Amino acid sequence: MRAASPALQEWWPEDDPRSWTGVTWLGGRVHGIVLRSCRRLAALPPEVGQLQALTSLDLQRTALMTLPHEIGQLQALTSLDLQKTPLATLTPEIGKLQALNKLELSYCIELETLPPEIGDLQALTELYLFRCEKLAWLPREIGQLHALTRLTLGGCPLKALPP
């Protein structure tokens, strides 16, 4: 992925790609990425969609304002942490993450809406929306999250909850 993505070249070590701090490997494939507090990271390269074995992606406290559409190709992803990012919206492709069981969006103070495709996340058990200060409503499709056991909404200016 380093060679295919100029956006990652400045962070990926030249000598040994497996020594990149924040990357865990399993069976020769990238299994987890932690880019927490990487303030210069304003966009994920589309090549992220090539990481088919990725199960955990921690982008907490980055400068991400959007996710690439290719995020929906991460079929093994179980945990996505976007806490404290300036994300204003989520791409509809988020609904393609069929293995996702934890989505952390707390303190995304610019987040205004969730796409209806959020209801397609049938494995989602935890959704954190604490202190999403511009989130005034939730899509009706959130009621389709039958596996959901934890929903955190404190500090959100919600006008009403959907049925």
Side-chain angles (χ1 to χ4, degrees):
M1 183 161 141
R2 179 197 182 278
S5 176
L8 291 180
Q9 288 179 2
E10 65 185 274
W11 292 300
W12 206 295
E14 289 288 335
D15 52 347
D16 181 10
R18 292 178 191 251
S19 69
W20 190 24
T21 302
V23 175
T24 55
W25 297 81
L26 184 65
R29 299 178 81 181
V30 176
H31 182 68
I33 297 177
V34 176
L35 292 171
R36 181 178 293 179
S37 299
C38 191
R39 293 284 184 195
R40 295 183 305 164
L41 184 65
L44 277 181
E47 293 83 5
V48 73
Q50 298 171 14
L51 300 173
Q52 296 301 305
L54 190 66
T55 60
S56 176
L57 184 55
D58 184 343
L59 301 168
Q60 183 181 141
R61 296 181 184 178
T62 60
L64 280 178
M65 297 179 76
T66 186
L67 291 173
H69 299 294
E70 292 79 5
I71 198 83
Q73 297 171 11
L74 302 177
Q75 294 302 301
L77 196 66
T78 59
S79 177
L80 178 57
D81 191 340
L82 298 165
Q83 185 176 180
K84 296 184 180 181
T85 61
L87 205 64
T89 60
L90 284 177
T91 180
E93 282 74 19
I94 198 85
K96 295 180 181 177
L97 301 176
Q98 293 303 302
L100 194 68
N101 57 45
K102 180 182 177 187
L103 179 56
E104 174 63 79
L105 295 166
S106 293
Y107 295 96
C108 289
I109 60 173
E110 298 300 319
L111 187 66
E112 295 181 12
T113 63
L114 295 176
E117 291 80 4
I118 198 93
D120 295 337
L121 299 175
Q122 293 304 301
L124 196 67
T125 59
E126 300 175 50
L127 178 56
Y128 298 92
L129 297 166
F130 184 76
R131 302 289 291 175
C132 292
E133 297 173 358
K134 292 186 179 179
L135 189 64
W137 61 275
L138 296 174
R140 170 180 287 278
E141 292 79 4
I142 204 147
Q144 298 169 5
L145 299 175
H146 299 293
L148 196 65
T149 58
R150 177 169 286 165
L151 176 60
T152 304
L153 296 168
C156 298
L158 293 175
K159 309 243 185 276
L161 289 175

